[in-house]
Amino acid sequence: GGQLRLIPLPEFVRRKDTIMKTTQELKELLYKNKTVADQQPDAIAEANAFCEGYKAFLNAAKTEREAAAYSEQLLKQAGYKPFVPGMALNAGDKVYLINRSKCVLAATIGERSMAEGFHLNIAHIDSPRLDLRPVPLFEKDGLAYFRTHYYGGIRKYQWVTIPLELHGVAVLRDGKSVAIHIGGEEDDPQFIINDLLPHLGREQGKKPLNEAIPSESLNVLLGGRPIADEDCSDRFKLGVMQYLNEKYGMTEEDLISAEIEVVPAGKARDIGFDRSFIASYGHDDRVCAYAELAGIFDAVSPKKTAVCIFADKEEIGSEGVSGMLSQAFEWFMGDMCRTQGVALTDCFANSFCLSADVTAAYDPNFADVYDKRNSSFVNYGVALCKYTGSGGKGGASDASAEVVGKVRKLMNDNGVFWQMAEMGKTDAGGGGTVAKFMAQRNIDTLDAGVPVLSMHAPYETVAKLDCYMTYKCMKTIFEQA
């Protein structure tokens, strides 16, 4: 046989002193998050200041129409001009478009050609609620009611015996449109949905939680004082219509061409002795929408065009002319591409989207439905989510390793505290966002947003530090090269 040859050992094996690590150095190899307050105490004051503007946004925007209108005011104040198809756009120009009064599209034109793509953050401004049915008004046994149809995923039992407001718009017989806001002012009446008293609720209490309050009982109490004419029928309905006619000029037929939403009454409030949380209706997903808006306002000289979108109809599948399945997005981006002689498909292929939507925060009171190792925690920063969906990732876009790695590096390099999360245990349920619709357009997409306690409840809770870190995340995406 041949001679035995000695093969030199690699350098890292021969020099043991260079590979021996201390326990502390080894711990650095592990993934472990800390609260934002522990990592950056100065962020507490910054988050508190940021959230004052956010609370004002929440109080002014209880519906998608109100969110769009308030955002338009802020956009104008920040120097954004209405978008006109075919208009010449130069680096630094700021434009916006309001689609059907329910969807906002805004852009800051970057230094680079649209052929190199754009950076997009997209949130939604619709929230779970109760809508009035087309013919909602009825009376029964001396009481007047509005019949409702719930919108999005709600737990029906949470909507009874809480004060409610009516917000929306009605188009009258003559074509005039009137805005309706009842319940938000100190001297306004408010409304309520009644529940069964415990003394008579024995059989109701035996029913599963999701069946104890049937949809057909979600009727909003409007009044119980009839008009004076005892010989007239529909006296209780007429009492309601008398108010609506005097205040808005409405007839009952006008309710057919109205979009009136039933939303929880009250304003956003600080929660806890330390005021570290905010409770409000509509955090899902206006908390990400406001972070986007503040982020694009504060983004410094975006290299690629920065695009901010507030979409409607996400809670019911993103359908309709104001949802992300509409061609309105292609029309807006396509026109900007045409002015530069760029194919929209080429632009999409080189773009990146952050689907800015909330996720479920770990709640120790209900720990059995969470995978603690893969959950987001309040006060730990913005939550990144590789995939949503349900079961075996059904309905998810499932971001690639390259996309997740890119965002992770951006967050680390720019001092944005983040965490990785799923929405509970695999078989416990699931949820979805607009991410898959952006991925269908050949745009690399990742979900990111604020962890929320009591998501989809009439009052949800978020941590101020998470709101602030989500804003920093959005700003970083807009500014990236």
Side-chain angles (χ1 to χ4, degrees):
Q3 282 189 328
L4 180 66
R5 292 185 299 118
L6 293 177
I7 301 175
L9 292 173
E11 182 70 14
F12 74 87
V13 175
R14 287 187 287 117
R15 296 189 58 189
K16 293 183 179 179
D17 58 310
T18 64
I19 63 170
M20 295 299 292
K21 295 183 181 293
T22 66
T23 301
Q24 184 58 42
E25 288 173 329
L26 288 172
K27 285 183 177 180
E28 295 299 319
L29 301 177
L30 301 178
Y31 166 67
K32 186 176 181 181
N33 281 339
K34 299 178 182 178
T35 66
V36 177
D38 287 335
Q39 298 180 88
Q40 189 180 341
D42 292 346
I44 295 174
E46 296 169 0
N48 289 341
F50 172 80
C51 285
E52 290 305 304
Y54 172 51
K55 287 188 290 185
F57 179 78
L58 282 171
N59 294 336
K62 288 201 168 185
T63 70
E64 63 281 5
R65 286 179 180 269
E66 292 170 1
Y70 191 76
S71 298
E72 183 173 22
Q73 294 178 33
L74 298 179
L75 285 160
K76 289 179 177 179
Q77 292 172 13
Y80 285 74
K81 306 296 183 184
F83 175 76
V84 178
M87 66 191 302
L89 295 170
N90 301 307
D93 286 351
K94 301 176 179 180
V95 294
Y96 77 90
L97 175 72
I98 307 296
N99 177 27
R100 269 83 171 190
S101 301
K102 299 179 183 180
C103 173
V104 180
L105 305 97
T108 299
I109 307 305
E111 299 172 4
R112 299 180 180 174
S113 166
M114 293 292 285
E116 297 185 46
F118 54 84
H119 292 136
L120 165 66
N121 288 336
I122 175 170
H124 66 89
I125 50 176
D126 62 317
S127 295
R129 60 180 189 258
L130 302 177
D131 286 342
L132 296 194
R133 295 193 182 185
V135 184
L137 182 59
F138 73 100
E139 65 176 64
K140 187 173 184 180
D141 299 328
L143 298 174
Y145 297 96
F146 272 151
R147 191 174 293 280
T148 67
H149 190 133
Y150 64 88
Y151 174 99
I154 69 168
R155 308 193 78 181
K156 295 186 286 292
Y157 73 89
Q158 296 175 336
W159 286 78
V160 297
T161 71
I162 63 171
L164 301 167
E165 301 176 6
L166 301 178
H167 290 239
V169 63
V171 177
L172 307 185
R173 186 183 185 91
D174 61 4
K176 178 183 177 183
S177 180
V178 293
I180 295 169
H181 306 275
I182 310 173
E185 301 299 328
E186 287 296 326
D187 59 347
D188 277 354
Q190 292 183 337
F191 310 92
I192 203 162
I193 298 171
N194 298 319
D195 193 9
L196 189 61
L197 66 165
H199 309 72
L200 300 176
R202 181 178 299 174
E203 292 303 314
Q204 182 194 46
K206 295 178 182 178
K207 296 179 179 180
L209 195 62
N210 289 335
E211 298 175 12
I213 304 294
S215 301
E216 299 305 316
S217 70
L218 293 175
N219 298 318
V220 180
L221 181 62
L222 305 176
R225 186 179 301 161
I227 63 169
D229 188 349
E230 294 186 17
D231 296 327
C232 178
S233 61
D234 297 325
R235 296 170 67 206
F236 297 91
K237 286 178 60 175
L238 285 171
V240 173
M241 287 313 309
Q242 182 178 26
Y243 179 95
L244 293 175
N245 185 261
E246 290 176 355
K247 190 172 179 67
Y248 300 108
M250 293 178 63
T251 67
E252 185 179 6
E253 187 178 318
D254 295 326
L255 290 169
I256 294 173
S257 54
E259 292 179 359
I260 300 177
E261 301 175 14
V262 183
V263 298
K267 296 183 177 181
R269 296 297 298 265
D270 288 347
I271 295 295
F273 291 116
D274 56 7
R275 296 179 176 269
S276 59
F277 297 98
I278 303 170
S280 176
Y281 168 66
H283 285 313
D284 181 9
D285 183 36
R286 291 168 197 142
V287 65
C288 293
Y290 184 77
E292 273 189 35
L293 202 61
I296 200 169
F297 289 168
D298 295 344
V300 179
S301 302
K303 302 297 184 293
K304 291 186 177 182
T305 293
V307 182
C308 168
I309 295 182
F310 298 171
D312 183 26
K313 298 291 189 289
E314 191 277 341
E315 296 293 357
I316 57 172
S318 297
E319 306 286 351
V321 292
S322 52
M324 281 314 299
L325 287 174
S326 163
Q327 291 292 310
F329 172 65
E330 277 83 352
W331 178 81
F332 180 68
M333 299 307 306
D335 194 86
M336 287 192 286
C337 285
R338 281 192 295 274
T339 62
Q340 296 184 12
V342 174
L344 181 61
T345 51
D346 293 340
C347 177
F348 280 177
N350 293 314
S351 297
F352 174 76
C353 171
L354 203 66
S355 171
D357 207 342
V358 299
T359 191
Y362 176 80
D363 188 337
N365 292 303
F366 305 99
D368 58 318
V369 298
Y370 294 90
D371 174 5
K372 193 172 181 180
R373 294 174 182 269
N374 289 283
S375 293
S376 62
F377 290 77
V378 293
N379 286 311
Y380 278 63
V382 60
L384 308 181
C385 189
K386 186 178 186 295
Y387 48 82
T388 54
S390 61
K393 299 186 181 181
S397 65
D398 203 2
S400 69
E402 291 82 358
V403 169
V404 177
K406 175 183 178 180
V407 175
R408 173 185 160 212
K409 185 176 187 304
L410 277 170
M411 299 301 103
N412 289 337
D413 291 348
N414 289 276
V416 180
F417 295 107
W418 59 276
Q419 53 188 316
M420 204 69 190
E422 289 186 89
M423 191 178 288
K425 289 183 177 178
T426 303
D427 290 335
T433 69
V434 300
K436 62 181 180 180
F437 305 128
M438 307 316 294
Q440 288 170 7
R441 293 171 162 106
N442 196 27
I443 300 174
D444 280 333
T445 305
L446 179 68
D447 278 298
V450 175
V452 177
L453 293 164
S454 305
M455 188 193 296
H456 280 214
Y459 285 94
E460 303 166 313
T461 302
V462 297
K464 293 181 180 179
L465 284 168
D466 298 332
C467 298
Y468 181 61
M469 284 300 151
T470 301
Y471 149 74
K472 290 188 67 175
C473 170
M474 305 299 163
K475 180 175 179 289
T476 297
I477 294 297
F478 285 135
E479 291 177 340
Q480 66 171 301

